Amino acid sequence: MAQPLTMALTKGRILQETLPLLARAGIEPLEDIHSSRKLIFATTRADIQLVVIRGTDVPTYVRHGAADLGVVGKDILLEHGAEGLYEPLDLGIARCRLMTAGPVGWSASGARVRVATKFVNIARRHFAAQGVHADVIKLYGAMELAPMMDLADLIVDIVDTGNTLRANGMEPLDEIARISSRLIVNKAAMRARYGVVHELVERLAAAAEVD
């Protein structure tokens, strides 16, 4: 029997929304992913297994062939690049927006702006395209704190409801990209196992259309 296809899934909200989609496509883990300490999970299909990892690691596992496919947010692909990957399907889950945000009423006071974000590459490209010189400060969380503590003027971050921004005296400004989760495929796996990969893509496309 051929080695099962390995699909890398992103932890957190994306995983919560991916599992029902996989179930509609006829793929369910044989045990509860949320309560298990395992990292690799067999499924109801003997030819597909799941691995659950950090979103930033999903493209790396797929690019290098440790996983054949993966589910990851478009923000990760925009930030780290999608070289060596196919992106055949927008799954339409975990939707949000990648935006700039700042204190309510903020306006630029000079030619430079300080920007806090974990999306360093995206931020640099965005402000360069606007003709703005941005000093980008990399942070890993609590972006809203940076303007409050005068570490930065603006932030670039994922915005869902905007409630956290409002609670901290901030407002969304410019939309950089609309984000959703994408199916990515290793190029070598697509060539070597086209039949089973294509069938899986078709099943997931049909399952995604249900929503």
Side-chain angles (χ1 to χ4, degrees), residues 151-206:
L151 178 64
D153 304 302
L154 302 175
I155 67 173
V156 170
D157 203 8
I158 294 295
V159 176
D160 187 6
T161 64
N163 290 338
T164 303
L165 290 176
R166 286 189 289 273
N168 289 284
M170 299 182 67
E171 61 184 354
L173 298 172
D174 297 324
E175 182 179 289
I176 298 175
R178 290 185 177 254
I179 304 299
S180 57
S181 295
R182 310 301 172 97
L183 179 71
I184 56 175
V185 183
N186 173 271
K187 288 188 173 181
M190 179 67 90
R191 290 192 298 270
R193 305 183 67 179
Y194 177 81
V196 64
V197 171
H198 180 70
E199 183 258 348
L200 180 55
V201 171
E202 291 293 303
R203 279 180 171 269
L204 289 173

Side-chain angles (χ1 to χ4, degrees), residues 10 14 55 59 71-78 94 179-182:
T10 297
I14 293 178
V71 176
V72 67
K74 182 64 175 180
D75 54 314
I76 300 298
L77 299 176
L78 291 172
I179 304 299
S180 57
S181 295
R182 310 301 172 97

Side-chain angles (χ1 to χ4, degrees), residues 60-174:
T60 303
Y61 272 74
V62 177
R63 182 179 294 113
H64 291 281
D68 302 291
L69 310 97
V71 176
V72 67
K74 182 64 175 180
D75 54 314
I76 300 298
L77 299 176
L78 291 172
E79 175 66 15
H80 298 289
E83 295 79 13
L85 304 170
Y86 289 118
E87 187 184 321
L89 189 59
D90 181 349
L91 296 171
I93 57 175
R95 293 182 182 275
C96 53
R97 295 173 295 162
L98 184 61
M99 302 193 71
T100 63
V104 173
W106 180 87
S107 61
S109 58
R112 303 171 76 96
V113 63
R114 298 170 302 160
V115 182
T117 186
K118 67 178 179 180
F119 300 105
V120 172
N121 296 322
I122 294 172
R124 286 184 176 139
R125 290 195 300 266
H126 172 75
F127 284 100
Q130 305 296 316
V132 175
H133 185 94
D135 296 317
V136 179
I137 303 163
K138 185 163 188 175
L139 294 179
Y140 292 93
M143 297 300 162
E144 296 82 4
L145 187 61
M148 295 170 66
M149 301 295 292
D150 198 32
L151 178 64
D153 304 302
L154 302 175
I155 67 173
V156 170
D157 203 8
I158 294 295
V159 176
D160 187 6
T161 64
N163 290 338
T164 303
L165 290 176
R166 286 189 289 273
N168 289 284
M170 299 182 67
E171 61 184 354
L173 298 172
D174 297 324

